[in-house]
Amino acid sequence: PAQVAQPTCTDKKVYKEIADAVAHKESVCIVDFGFSDITELPAETYTLTHLRELYFRGTLIQTVPAEIQKLTE
């Protein structure tokens, strides 16, 4: 059977600020909001089309919104 090529994430920088991540949204793969005082994922998170890893441990986020499904690359 034919294999579908998976996009390769080459930007290994861990972005901690959404503004910084959005400035590089064509390449950002990892965002870490961990141990910050955010209470919900910033709306801009869903524009990061190559996002592979998203961390929010230690935040005040209590639920993951359905919009997370937009990140399906």
Side-chain angles (χ1 to χ4, degrees):
Q3 291 184 342
V4 177
Q6 294 295 320
T8 302
C9 184
T10 58
D11 185 351
K12 299 301 180 186
K13 178 179 177 181
V14 178
Y15 292 84
K16 301 245 181 213
E17 300 290 331
I18 192 63
D20 192 24
V22 170
H24 300 93
K25 71 179 178 178
E26 295 302 318
S27 63
V28 63
C29 300
I30 306 168
V31 174
D32 184 355
F33 294 126
F35 300 97
S36 65
D37 59 358
I38 65 172
T39 57
E40 60 186 27
L41 292 175
E44 298 88 351
T45 304
Y46 309 113
T47 68
L48 305 174
T49 57
H50 299 287
L51 189 62
R52 287 280 182 253
E53 299 176 37
L54 175 63
Y55 301 98
F56 49 94
R57 179 177 175 206
T59 66
L60 300 174
I61 295 174
Q62 294 186 5
T63 60
V64 177
E67 289 86 3
I68 198 78
Q69 294 178 7
K70 293 179 181 178
L71 302 173
T72 60
E73 180 182 285

